[in-house]
């Protein structure tokens, strides 16, 4: 099994990237195909699909992934190994 870094080495459409993230975190099993779950990414209102794409966006904000204008993601080859200090929310 390869990690997300390997799977997203090249530009990958948002739905496929979300699917691979879901596999990485254990939401989807290795034997599930994208065709079985694509509706979660293509239809509004599926919380799991929205969550996985939100996670991709958060990883982009953190500098781990890159996102292009075609809504494709790829691993940032210059991604920091130490993402710095934690965010602080003011009360």
């Amino acid at each position: 099994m390869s990690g997300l870094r390997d799977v997203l080495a090249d530009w990958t459409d948002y739905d496929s990237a979300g699917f691979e993230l879901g596999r990485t975190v254990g939401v989807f099993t290795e034997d599930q195909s994208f065709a079985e779950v694509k509706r979660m990414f293509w239809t509004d209102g599926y919380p799991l699909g929205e969550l996985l794409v939100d996670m991709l966006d958060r990883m982009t904000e953190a500098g781990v992934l890159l996102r292009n204008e075609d809504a494709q993601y790829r691993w940032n080859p210059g991604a920091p190994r130490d993402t710095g200090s934690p965010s602080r929310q003011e009360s």
Side-chain angles (χ1 to χ4, degrees):
M1 179 171 134
S2 56
L4 194 61
R5 178 188 305 260
D6 298 325
V7 174
L8 298 183
D10 295 317
W11 290 111
T12 305
D13 291 332
Y14 80 95
D15 50 1
S16 296
F19 174 66
E20 294 300 341
L21 176 59
R23 276 186 163 176
T24 300
V25 299
V27 173
F28 305 123
T29 62
E30 284 295 317
D31 64 334
Q32 278 183 295
S33 70
F34 175 71
E36 294 176 81
V37 300
K38 67 183 176 185
R39 71 185 176 284
M40 292 183 190
F41 299 99
W42 293 1
T43 306
D44 288 337
Y46 276 92
L48 182 56
E50 292 173 3
L51 171 72
L52 291 167
V53 175
D54 287 347
M55 289 174 65
L56 293 170
D57 289 337
R58 294 294 305 266
M59 293 174 76
T60 300
E61 290 171 14
V64 175
L65 298 179
L66 300 173
R67 183 179 190 273
N68 68 18
E69 64 278 353
D70 294 324
Q72 295 175 320
Y73 296 87
R74 70 171 223 178
W75 196 268
N76 181 356
R81 297 217 181 252
D82 178 4
T83 58
S85 59
S87 306
R88 294 191 182 170
Q89 296 181 1
E90 295 189 29
S91 306

